[in-house]
Amino acid sequence: MVTMKQIAERTGVSVSTVSLVLNHRDEGRVKADIARKVRATAQELGYQPNALARSLRTNKIPIIGFVSEEVATTPYAGGIIQGAQDAARELGYLLITVSGDDAATVEQEVLALKRYGIDAFIYSAMSNRVVTIPQCLADYPLVLADATDRDNRFPAIEPDEFRIGYDATTRLIEAGCANIAYVGCTTPGPIIAQRGRLEGYRAALDDHGREFNEALVCNVDGNEEALRAVEHLFAEQHPDGFFCFNDSRAWYVYECAARQGLIVGKDISVVGVDNHRVIAETFAPQLTTIALPHYEMGYWAADKLISIVEHRDIAPMPNPLMLAPIPPLDGEEPVKMHCVLIEKESVRPQ
Amino acid sequence: MVTMKQIAERTGVSVSTVSLVLNHRDEGRVKADIARKVRATAQELGYQPNALARSLRTNKIPIIGFVSEEVATTPYAGGIIQGAQDAARELGYLLITVSGDDAATVEQEVLALKRYGIDAFIYSAMSNRVVTIPQCLADYPLVLADATDRDNRFPAIEPDEFRIGYDATTRLIEAGCANIAYVGCTTPGPIIAQRGRLEGYRAALDDHGREFNEALVCNVDGNEEALRAVEHLFAEQHPDGFFCFNDSRAWYVYECAARQGLIVGKDISVVGVDNHRVIAETFAPQLTTIALPHYEMGYWAADKLISIVEHRDIAPMPNPLMLAPIPPLDGEEPVKMHCVLIEKESVRPQ
DNA sequence: GTGAAAGCGCTAACAT
DNA sequence: ATGTTAGCGCTTTCAC
């Protein structure tokens, strides 16, 4: 491994000069031609700084920890992590991801990160939920991604659930649907999403002079019972537009439509949230899928976190709100949805 | 931050003694009661070793790099990464994941890892494919997960595609199906999986005295055309059993069955590979899903890699081959599938 | 402008 | 059985 010392000897200067030059602190301190010579030998020897040594000395390490308590095996995880990683890279950071099944494991992993001096974290729940921030993270710069802090202490990047519901419903209205159903979920799990999307649904109906009809809201859990409930919805209300909470719900609608000989995209219109690959591959030509902005949430969370730890404003990411034109209902492109930054007083020790 | 020096002063011994004790190298070198005292003060002060300093000194860092060239946004990524991370944790390592869209970005990220002295890597393609190992990884200990090295130089953990095909088909035979179709994919993409599964399908038919019928093999791409092809398969061959390459293919079969009033689990039987969440949530009661062993591949890959860098055999993981009893066809449990270790001479510099 | 020197927290060879 | 010492590669005063 090439060290500064070697460069210094080879160039006939001291290590401190090399350090100055290689860290671009030579402006007006080191003569230009010496600087040039140093840079040349560094290049020539293929010098790579030893990040360990630097971090040991400076007591800061450009790595952010990405922590999630749930197993990160959900299909969503990848997008968030990738987004966070891309933002981190662009700002000169690495991302190190830890997770575990239980709080104890997570804490153990976080401790391992802290031993490396990692002191800034993203906490993610892998689906917008109310979470309790682990104690071991509470005293560090922290940003939530796709999660809501029970105690409301940290900045959080969440999907704009209301807008999702509002835009999806509006789209169905503009597509000419007269009778728009909402196929949602029973509350216990994703309560935030369910509530927000339903509100958006109602608001959109309201803003377009439509009456809200309780009977068109069909909250279901899964499997046989869900299928029956949706069948019932078809039979009783004859909806011609469906706003579906997620892929599973969309599938129930598809199954029922197929059984009744109704063609999606012709007899009925469907807008569904979530973009598992299977849906994109199979339903795409007929279904307008609204993809949750997982990548963007990750990206934005890392941006925000780094802006906190570096005490500076960072050029904002390409605004996800700008990335979200919803195409015509028969369009094939999956739609990126919005996310919002919930600003909180962030804990920022000294 | 508490340092060894502080512990030394507090206990009235030297730092080296503290180091010895805290690294469990005190056996017969440090008097028992001194050791006890040292441990007590360490505990009391809440000492945490500084991993940076240690790694700088020892020139080794217990972190392994998980590199993937494709965007790690596929639903599969999470499982592999989680498996690798769990194995890493159990062996005292951290896992740091990098990826990028193109080779240049990946190389940049790998370089960043190397600056921290990270010198052991897992390379993963996020779906068993022939890949070219980036030059920057070729001279380091490396294990492939869910990928096949074009030049065949490194140990690799891959799904056992043949067994997947064989077992799925056997299961359909044992369920009493007379006419078993294979709904596969057109080759260009996942060529390894397609070939292996088809071979397994043929071998199972063969071993059970069934004739292979070309017309029952239906390789399709996606969307409308695929749907028509499967409809054609239904109409011409009237299969009563379906082995599906993945979720999308399974969906085509479901869609056609629904249109024809055939009940899955009664009139026809379906075994499908891949376990996207949507399938598990919706099809599960009727469909036998074979989940690819992503978690296990990641786990095993990390195990293998660490055994290489530490020059020691590691207690083997719970063998994924043992985890894979396929339940009866009407069972609800998704099935974990096998993976295999392809042993290669691993590159192990110095 | 440049270099000498100290030290981040730790490990390990060498003294005692 | 314990302490002294010399670094690992880097940054950062402080002299000159």
Side-chain angles (χ1 to χ4, degrees):
Chain A
M1 196 199 198
V2 179
T3 69
M4 284 190 174
K5 196 173 167 200
Q6 294 174 35
I7 297 176
E9 282 164 1
R10 197 92 130 64
T11 326
V13 297
S14 76
V15 226
S16 25
T17 304
V18 175
S19 173
L20 244 34
V21 171
L22 262 27
N23 287 304
H24 307 104
R25 302 171 175 288
D26 55 318
E27 187 78 24
R29 307 226 253 152
V30 177
K31 266 203 298 234
D33 63 325
I34 293 206
R36 215 174 325 109
K37 240 191 298 188
V38 168
R39 267 184 264 270
T41 15
Q43 178 82 33
E44 185 185 336
L45 298 180
Y47 171 76
Q48 290 293 89
N50 182 322
L52 287 175
R54 179 196 307 233
S55 286
L56 176 61
R57 186 62 241 247
T58 60
N59 205 21
K60 51 184 52 172
I61 186 166
I63 301 183
I64 71 190
F66 186 102
V67 184
S68 73
E69 188 144 346
E70 261 171 290
V71 273
T73 313
T74 71
Y76 313 120
I80 302 183
I81 294 174
Q82 187 65 40
Q85 199 167 122
D86 285 353
R89 178 182 51 240
E90 285 165 24
L91 296 166
Y93 282 69
L94 281 170
L95 188 84
I96 185 159
T97 309
V98 299
S99 59
D101 293 331
D102 51 76
T105 312
V106 169
E107 186 162 346
Q108 188 199 336
E109 290 279 274
V110 169
L111 203 67
L113 296 187
K114 287 183 182 172
R115 283 197 279 261
Y116 281 95
I118 293 167
D119 57 1
F121 301 90
I122 293 174
Y123 188 81
S124 177
M126 300 310 173
S127 88
N128 195 1
R129 283 214 336 251
V130 174
V131 297
T132 304
I133 301 301
Q135 184 54 42
C136 58
L137 294 178
D139 288 337
Y140 292 79
L142 179 69
V143 173
L144 306 195
D146 204 12
T148 302
D149 176 19
R150 186 180 317 281
D151 302 325
N152 231 24
R153 291 165 299 172
F154 305 95
I157 318 286
E158 304 172 17
D160 190 341
E161 307 290 2
F162 180 88
R163 263 195 84 163
I164 289 174
Y166 190 92
D167 287 356
T169 308
T170 300
R171 194 53 52 170
L172 287 165
I173 291 171
E174 286 173 357
C177 298
N179 222 15
I180 300 172
Y182 171 60
V183 184
C185 61
T186 49
T187 32
I191 186 166
I192 297 171
Q194 164 73 10
R195 193 196 304 139
R197 291 179 202 172
L198 185 55
E199 273 170 17
Y201 165 81
R202 294 188 65 151
L205 290 178
D206 207 50
D207 287 358
H208 292 83
R210 305 286 181 95
E211 194 101 352
F212 171 72
N213 175 3
E214 185 78 53
L216 280 166
V217 174
C218 176
N219 293 324
V220 296
D221 234 1
N223 294 330
E224 286 312 312
E225 204 182 334
L227 202 52
R228 271 199 301 278
V230 175
E231 250 168 359
H232 187 258
L233 173 69
F234 268 86
E236 296 296 311
Q237 301 294 329
H238 304 288
D240 58 355
F242 294 83
F243 166 40
C244 301
F245 184 83
N246 66 4
D247 286 344
S248 302
R249 274 80 189 170
W251 184 77
Y252 299 129
V253 171
Y254 266 76
E255 178 72 12
C256 290
R259 289 184 185 177
Q260 307 207 359
L262 298 172
I263 309 291
V264 176
K266 186 158 153 277
D267 303 314
I268 63 173
S269 297
V270 182
V271 173
V273 182
D274 287 15
N275 177 25
H276 296 235
R277 178 151 302 196
V278 62
I279 296 297
E281 279 178 14
T282 53
F283 296 164
Q286 305 137 356
L287 174 75
T288 298
T289 52
I290 297 184
L292 287 169
H294 291 109
Y295 180 91
E296 287 76 5
M297 285 192 281
Y299 194 103
W300 208 353
D303 252 18
K304 179 70 187 167
L305 180 61
I306 293 173
S307 82
I308 291 173
V309 297
E310 296 193 353
H311 304 279
R312 59 154 161 136
D313 283 339
I314 286 187
M317 67 172 292
N319 191 338
L321 296 178
M322 296 293 96
L323 294 176
I326 300 193
L329 197 58
D330 58 357
E332 292 197 10
E333 289 300 303
V335 181
K336 277 292 174 190
M337 208 45 221
H338 324 284
C339 56
V340 289
L341 167 63
I342 317 289
E343 272 288 5
K344 302 279 159 54
E345 262 323 294
S346 87
V347 175
R348 196 188 308 182
Q350 56 118 337
Chain B
M1 196 198 199
V2 181
T3 69
M4 285 191 174
K5 196 172 168 200
Q6 293 174 36
I7 297 175
E9 282 165 359
R10 197 90 129 64
T11 325
V13 297
S14 77
V15 231
S16 31
T17 304
V18 175
S19 172
L20 244 33
V21 171
L22 262 26
N23 288 302
H24 305 104
R25 303 171 174 286
D26 56 318
E27 188 77 22
R29 305 227 255 156
V30 177
K31 268 204 293 231
D33 63 323
I34 293 206
R36 215 173 328 106
K37 237 187 305 187
V38 168
R39 268 184 264 270
T41 8
Q43 178 80 36
E44 185 186 335
L45 299 180
Y47 171 75
Q48 291 293 86
N50 181 323
L52 287 175
R54 180 197 304 235
S55 286
L56 177 62
R57 187 61 241 246
T58 61
N59 205 22
K60 53 182 50 171
I61 186 166
I63 301 183
I64 69 190
F66 186 103
V67 184
S68 74
E69 188 145 344
E70 260 172 289
V71 273
T73 314
T74 71
Y76 313 120
I80 302 183
I81 293 173
Q82 187 66 41
Q85 198 166 122
D86 285 354
R89 176 182 52 239
E90 285 165 23
L91 296 167
Y93 283 69
L94 282 170
L95 189 82
I96 184 161
T97 308
V98 299
S99 58
D101 293 332
D102 52 77
T105 311
V106 170
E107 186 163 345
Q108 187 199 337
E109 291 279 274
V110 169
L111 203 67
L113 296 187
K114 287 183 182 173
R115 283 197 278 261
Y116 280 95
I118 294 167
D119 56 2
F121 302 91
I122 293 174
Y123 187 81
S124 178
M126 299 312 172
S127 89
N128 195 0
R129 281 214 335 250
V130 175
V131 296
T132 304
I133 303 300
Q135 183 54 41
C136 57
L137 294 178
D139 289 336
Y140 292 79
L142 180 68
V143 172
L144 306 194
D146 204 14
T148 301
D149 177 19
R150 187 181 314 282
D151 302 325
N152 230 27
R153 291 166 299 173
F154 304 95
I157 318 286
E158 305 170 15
D160 190 341
E161 306 291 3
F162 179 88
R163 265 193 83 164
I164 290 174
Y166 191 93
D167 286 357
T169 309
T170 300
R171 193 53 51 172
L172 288 165
I173 290 171
E174 287 172 357
C177 297
N179 222 16
I180 301 172
Y182 171 60
V183 186
C185 61
T186 49
T187 33
I191 186 167
I192 297 172
Q194 164 72 9
R195 195 197 302 141
R197 290 179 202 173
L198 184 55
E199 275 170 16
Y201 165 78
R202 296 189 62 152
L205 289 179
D206 206 51
D207 287 358
H208 292 82
R210 305 286 181 93
E211 194 100 355
F212 171 73
N213 174 3
E214 185 78 54
L216 280 166
V217 174
C218 177
N219 293 325
V220 296
D221 234 2
N223 295 332
E224 286 312 313
E225 203 182 334
L227 202 52
R228 272 199 300 278
V230 176
E231 251 167 359
H232 186 256
L233 174 68
F234 268 83
E236 297 295 313
Q237 301 293 327
H238 303 290
D240 58 354
F242 293 84
F243 166 39
C244 301
F245 184 85
N246 66 5
D247 286 345
S248 302
R249 273 81 191 170
W251 184 76
Y252 299 130
V253 171
Y254 267 75
E255 178 72 12
C256 290
R259 289 184 184 177
Q260 307 209 359
L262 297 171
I263 309 291
V264 176
K266 186 159 153 277
D267 304 314
I268 64 172
S269 297
V270 182
V271 173
V273 182
D274 287 13
N275 179 25
H276 295 234
R277 177 150 303 195
V278 62
I279 295 296
E281 280 179 13
T282 54
F283 296 164
Q286 306 136 357
L287 173 75
T288 297
T289 50
I290 296 186
L292 287 171
H294 290 109
Y295 180 91
E296 287 77 6
M297 287 192 281
Y299 194 103
W300 209 353
D303 252 18
K304 179 71 187 168
L305 180 62
I306 293 171
S307 82
I308 291 174
V309 297
E310 296 191 355
H311 304 280
R312 60 155 160 136
D313 284 338
I314 285 187
M317 67 172 292
N319 189 339
L321 295 179
M322 297 293 94
L323 292 177
I326 301 193
L329 197 59
D330 57 357
E332 293 197 10
E333 289 300 302
V335 181
K336 277 292 175 189
M337 208 42 221
H338 323 284
C339 56
V340 290
L341 167 64
I342 316 290
E343 273 288 6
K344 301 282 158 52
E345 266 320 298
S346 88
V347 176
R348 197 187 308 182
Q350 59 110 348

